[in-house]
Amino acid sequence: MVEASNKAWNIDNCCSENSNIYQIHVLSDSVDAHAHASSMEEACRNSAMALNCPSAITVRPDGSESVRYRYPTTFLYLQQGRLSLYPRMRAICHWHMDLEFTRVLKGHMMYFVNGEIVRVDEGEAIFINSRALHYGFSDDGEECDFYCALIHPIRVGAPPEVYRHFILPFIEDKDIPFALLRPDDSTGRDIVHQLDRLFEASDDRTLAITALSAFFSIIADLVEREEPRAQNNTASTHQDTTLSAMRAMTDYIQGHYMENITLRDIARAGAVGRSTCGSIFRHNLAQTPMQYTVSMRVHAAAGLLRDTELPMASVAKNTGFSSASYFAKTFNKVMGCTPKAFRNTHD
């Protein structure tokens, strides 16, 4: 369980030996991390969307992620981890306002971004634009070590003219949901170098300055590199409609997975029929809507097992499972171990 220290600025290393997430909590002396979860429902959502560090990321009612940043002045979030820490080596499909950069250190990772599948090999990185639906996963069960950086494009503190003329048009361009950054490309190499600077400076007192410098350098490179692509692309109305429905349905599941939701409920949230609902999930996530729902429940349960002392029956009830026995069977199938073994391992 991550507790706030009695310092106003508190750097935590709150993950397992295979994953480091760095963050700073802006908390008063008398407030601990539990104050950010006003109810068990919110606590479950937090655990589901941030299995490795529940206090760093929370999920809003609309399904978007809210990130707690390393420094309030830079709104920077840094994480180092590996895919095997995620159930079935697959993250939950999500979106957020932040610009995301994931760099593969070892192995490779597949990324789903707005309906496209992209392979990111060792030494490469991928940029995910604001509001793009995305998740990383393994296509072959091979391990992947990576680090991830999130920077909020609005709150980073860019001068108004810079924001209006460069940052805002870029993050609102639907034709640029992502960019693959390769070291054999000069621009990609420069951006990867800036990302490495951030992680090398993660414990430096000058991180805030380094983050600002890296952010503006990366934005300049991305705007210059991606402008021709944006001008030459034609948005697909059908694709936009499908992504809109998918976002609405995944948002609904993330907000209601603790309840006894049905396929009809999920389809209604996306304003589509049940058959279309199933097709959208299978095409984009390689899962049925109910499999996605089970994944959400298992993510949430894993977080509660690790971060609370709730009895198994309470964990099951608070994450949408109909019984403790069904919870144990499903958890074992997805995670490869029993809930008790998982709790003991992460105790």
Side-chain angles (χ1 to χ4, degrees):
M1 188 73 69
V2 179
E3 298 285 339
S5 75
N6 57 6
K7 297 181 180 180
W9 303 95
N10 174 36
I11 300 178
D12 295 314
N13 182 345
C14 57
C15 303
S16 70
E17 61 182 359
N18 295 326
S19 176
N20 296 310
I21 296 180
Y22 302 96
Q23 58 182 329
I24 274 197
H25 303 297
V26 187
L27 300 172
S28 66
D29 293 354
S30 62
V31 179
D32 65 23
H34 296 295
H36 291 273
S38 59
S39 65
M40 177 59 70
E41 179 176 339
E42 184 176 347
C44 292
R45 289 176 183 166
N46 295 353
S47 297
M49 297 308 293
L51 177 58
N52 296 328
C53 192
S55 60
I57 298 177
T58 60
V59 62
R60 300 185 181 95
D62 66 357
S64 65
E65 287 185 350
S66 174
V67 181
R68 296 177 63 195
Y69 305 91
R70 175 91 191 248
Y71 282 101
T73 53
T74 58
F75 293 92
L76 172 67
Y77 169 85
L78 303 175
Q79 172 187 350
Q80 184 173 335
R82 52 180 43 182
L83 272 180
S84 60
L85 295 173
Y86 295 86
R88 294 177 175 171
M89 303 185 79
R90 175 186 294 262
I92 287 290
C93 185
H94 64 283
W95 64 276
H96 41 66
M97 284 292 298
D98 307 81
L99 305 181
E100 177 173 321
F101 300 87
T102 297
R103 171 147 152 70
V104 173
L105 303 174
K106 184 178 180 180
H108 73 275
M109 183 190 305
M110 306 303 291
Y111 245 89
F112 166 93
V113 190
N114 277 7
E116 294 188 56
I117 302 295
V118 186
R119 179 184 171 111
V120 188
D121 287 313
E122 185 171 324
E124 297 179 344
I126 187 170
F127 157 73
I128 308 297
N129 209 344
S130 181
R131 298 187 183 92
L133 279 169
H134 63 281
Y135 66 93
F137 65 98
S138 171
D139 63 336
D140 56 10
E142 294 295 320
E143 185 62 277
C144 176
D145 294 335
F146 64 91
Y147 67 61
C148 180
L150 302 182
I151 304 179
H152 201 291
I154 298 175
R155 300 176 181 175
V156 74
E161 287 297 307
V162 173
Y163 179 76
R164 280 198 303 270
H165 291 291
F166 297 101
I167 299 176
L168 182 60
F170 183 77
I171 65 176
E172 290 190 342
D173 196 325
K174 294 181 180 180
D175 291 327
I176 311 176
F178 72 91
L180 187 59
L181 308 170
R182 294 189 173 97
D184 57 0
D185 169 73
S186 60
T187 302
R189 185 168 57 249
D190 290 344
I191 294 175
V192 168
H193 171 68
Q194 296 299 331
L195 296 175
D196 289 341
R197 284 182 62 210
L198 287 178
F199 277 83
E200 290 168 1
S202 61
D203 293 318
D204 295 348
R205 67 181 184 85
T206 57
L207 175 60
I209 299 174
T210 302
L212 289 172
S213 170
F215 172 76
F216 288 114
S217 177
I218 289 171
I219 283 294
D221 285 339
L222 284 173
V223 169
E224 182 175 359
R225 169 179 150 157
E226 299 301 324
E227 188 175 20
R229 185 172 90 169
Q231 292 174 347
N232 293 331
N233 282 355
T234 301
S236 168
T237 301
H238 174 71
Q239 178 72 350
D240 288 347
T241 301
T242 298
L243 288 174
S244 178
M246 180 178 163
R247 177 177 291 171
M249 291 186 290
T250 55
D251 287 355
Y252 177 81
I253 294 172
Q254 291 168 9
H256 297 271
Y257 68 87
M258 290 162 284
E259 306 166 12
N260 183 25
I261 59 178
T262 65
L263 178 59
R264 183 185 297 275
D265 296 327
I266 298 169
R268 186 184 296 118
V272 297
R274 286 178 290 180
S275 177
T276 300
C277 169
S279 297
I280 290 174
F281 272 84
R282 285 191 296 271
H283 176 74
N284 290 289
L285 303 183
Q287 292 179 300
T288 68
M290 300 317 296
Q291 286 173 335
Y292 181 86
T293 303
V294 169
S295 296
M296 281 295 307
R297 289 169 174 162
V298 170
H299 270 75
L304 291 180
L305 289 169
R306 192 198 67 180
D307 297 317
T308 75
E309 297 180 358
L310 287 173
M312 295 298 172
S314 296
V315 173
K317 180 179 179 181
N318 284 307
T319 51
F321 289 97
S322 57
S323 67
S325 59
Y326 176 61
F327 161 59
K329 179 180 179 180
T330 303
F331 190 94
N332 192 14
K333 182 178 180 180
V334 174
M335 300 293 288
C337 64
T338 66
K340 182 178 180 180
F342 181 89
R343 171 170 274 173
N344 291 338
T345 301
H346 294 80
D347 192 6

